[in-house]
């Protein structure tokens, strides 16, 4: 291992892309971000966005990212293809696909844009929460490696095995402080991954394990790169809840806040569950 | 005009697809669903989903749909291409593109699935609202033709020119009954379009017109075809609000309910605005 690799943050290792040709890269799943099976979906989303960010035709910063998890990602190498399908004066539209062998394992679309200063207003209130430093770090889940890659401090709605707060109430709301562990300066791929750290709402609402898998995941980015740089390595405050669990699928929605009350992103996903 | 066309519901006319080859169709924008410029984005989303639904390889019913509005759709003909990129045992992933000439005007992804009966729970409360019959129909906006294609009855948060309820309060929340006008039995493409009937939250929050355009739009479907059939032609109850307006973009999130308290879909979009 070279000195450079030895010093890399595990998230950078997990999202590293080796160029193969214009618009094509090879990546590799990383044990530090392993899930029950295959990699943490947040890193898959981060990889899709990283490909767009590294493409020489890229213009602007991310506004939206949707990732569809088409099939299981096996541990090992994958190929990413990113194509700018339309470039306008201030927005750019991307299609991304992740392949393993002949199989599409994920598709993604992203929209980038050049932001301008306009009238702005946060309509949702910044959630009341005690400081991160005053809360204990939730115990990572031993069999879910990626949970060790985040420092999570729950205010409400921890899954039963992850912290001091009991679940099983009438709703699936969680409020938690979260950052990369070890700390890492925030950027767009890391924010995309952080938007997927909320445990499946099913496990908050109804303790007990069943097989689950995110089907589709969307992030709307409200922050620009300068705002992310100001956040740096500090915790974000995340608030998540479900609207409905029905016939094998549930949705979850979340907001991701900076300590200063900046709403950095809103995110939604729909998740399959089996029982 | 043939008798068949004369009898068709305007929504069916607006979303009719003429097969060109497997996975390729030609459609045509319809004056009845015209927007300020080009067609109502809800019909563009419905067209993308209709292509998937009509494809001979289609398996299951829609779980998620994301449409990215890549550029202006000109009034006239367009081509739709839908490709199943991965079919699993119970889920199927689709890529869709709309073209006009050489330009991509929209991209979409959709996930379909076979639903099974499981434990189910609506977590969000059904909004309190007086019956649709007790409220006046909001006046359609003359210069926005598609608003005549829906019967909207606002409980709260009507844009100033559309009804009896005053806007301009501290938030962008709207609650309204809505159905196709003339009435039409609900199906997935119509529900996708109905998820886009919420006026831009900017105009509820801050009266006054500026150019806006949806950039990306997602629907998570919680209902199956049998549930939609039960709804039939009755009004849906829609609840929408924004989380943030910032530097040229705002998001909006909404829930779409059946009269009996069924949460049929949740939907999100991010919208560009200019000022």
């Amino acid at each position: 291992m070279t000195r450079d690799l030895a010093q890399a943050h595990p998230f950078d290792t997990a999202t590293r892309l080796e160029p193969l040709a214009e618009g094509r890269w090879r990546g590799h799943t990383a044990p530090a971000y392993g899930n029950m099976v295959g990699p943490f979906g947040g890193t898959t989303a981060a990889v899709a966005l990283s490909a767009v960010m590294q493409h020489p035709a890229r213009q602007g910063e991310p506004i939206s990212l949707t990732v569809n998890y088409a099939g299981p990602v096996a541990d090992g190498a994958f190929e990413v293809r990113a194509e700018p399908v339309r470039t306008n004066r201030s927005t750019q539209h991307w299609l991304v696909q992740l392949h393993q062998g002949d199989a599409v394992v994920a598709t993604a679309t992203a929209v980038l844009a050049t932001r301008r200063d306009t009238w702005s207003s946060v309509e949702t209130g910044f959630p009341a929460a005690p400081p991160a430093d005053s809360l204990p770090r939730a115990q990572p889940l031993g069999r879910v490696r990626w949970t060790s890659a985040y420092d999570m401090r729950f205010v409400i709605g921890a899954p039963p095995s992850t912290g001091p707060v009991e679940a099983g109430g009438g709703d699936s709301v969680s409020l938690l402080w979260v950052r990369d562990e070890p700390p890492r300066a925030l950027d767009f791929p890391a924010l995309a991954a952080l938007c997927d750290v909320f445990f499946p709402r099913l496990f908050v609402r109804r303790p007990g394990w069943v097989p689950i898998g995110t089907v589709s995941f969307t992030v709307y980015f409200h922050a620009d790169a300068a705002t992310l740089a100001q956040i740096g390595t500090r915790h974000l405050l995340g608030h998540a809840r479900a609207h409905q669990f029905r016939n094998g699928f549930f949705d979850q929605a979340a907001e991701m806040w900076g300590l200063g009350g900046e709403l950095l992103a809103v995110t939604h996903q729909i998740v399959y569950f089996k029982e």
Side-chain angles (χ1 to χ4, degrees), chain A:
Chain A
M1 187 178 283
T2 67
R3 181 174 176 81
D4 177 58
L5 281 170
Q7 290 184 333
H9 188 282
F11 184 81
D12 293 300
T13 303
T15 58
R16 180 174 290 126
L17 293 173
E18 172 197 349
L20 298 174
E22 177 157 318
R24 292 177 51 210
W25 297 262
R26 179 175 294 120
H28 205 286
T29 63
Y33 288 84
N35 208 341
M36 294 286 290
V37 176
F40 170 47
T43 44
T44 304
V47 159
L49 186 59
S50 289
V52 170
M53 299 299 282
Q54 291 175 32
H55 196 291
R58 192 257 300 182
Q59 287 185 17
E61 296 186 346
I63 296 294
S64 76
L65 171 70
T66 294
V67 181
N68 296 291
Y69 298 90
V73 179
D75 289 325
F78 52 83
E79 186 178 323
V80 190
R81 301 174 195 166
E83 177 195 1
V85 292
R86 177 135 179 178
T87 300
N88 299 312
R89 193 172 43 185
S90 68
T91 59
Q92 191 177 52
H93 287 255
W94 290 83
L95 283 181
V96 184
Q97 296 199 31
L98 270 72
H99 292 80
Q100 285 187 317
D102 291 337
V104 174
V105 294
T107 66
T109 58
V111 184
L112 275 63
T114 307
R115 297 175 190 271
R116 299 159 297 105
D117 282 342
T118 66
W119 174 81
S120 297
S121 172
V122 183
E123 189 165 310
T124 307
F126 182 67
D133 287 351
S134 69
L135 296 165
R137 181 183 175 191
Q139 186 70 29
L141 301 173
R143 59 182 180 173
V144 185
R145 277 292 302 280
W146 70 263
T147 61
S148 297
Y150 291 96
D151 179 303
M152 301 189 194
R153 295 162 187 251
F154 282 88
V155 181
I156 53 173
S161 57
T162 59
V165 182
E166 286 305 311
D171 67 40
S172 69
V173 173
S174 288
L175 180 63
L176 68 153
W177 294 102
V178 58
R179 63 160 169 75
D180 288 300
E181 173 58 37
R184 179 182 176 279
L186 190 62
D187 58 16
F188 288 108
L191 179 55
L194 281 157
C195 283
D196 193 35
V197 300
F198 301 101
F199 290 104
R201 298 296 91 193
L202 185 68
F203 298 165
V204 179
R205 176 66 186 277
R206 201 189 69 162
W209 188 84
V210 294
I212 64 100
T214 299
V215 169
S216 187
F217 168 65
T218 286
V219 180
Y220 296 152
F221 298 94
H222 279 298
D224 58 13
T227 303
L228 301 190
Q230 286 168 5
I231 302 287
T233 61
R234 287 178 293 178
H235 283 89
L236 307 184
L237 183 62
H239 181 271
R241 76 269 174 217
H243 293 97
Q244 183 167 232
F245 307 82
R246 183 170 172 77
N247 287 351
F249 294 89
F250 61 91
D251 70 271
Q252 54 191 65
E255 296 84 53
M256 212 37 118
W257 299 85
L259 183 62
E262 314 90 346
L263 180 51
L264 304 175
V266 297
T267 178
H268 316 97
Q269 61 181 274
I270 189 150
V271 184
Y272 162 86
F273 71 98
K274 185 175 180 179
E275 64 167 21

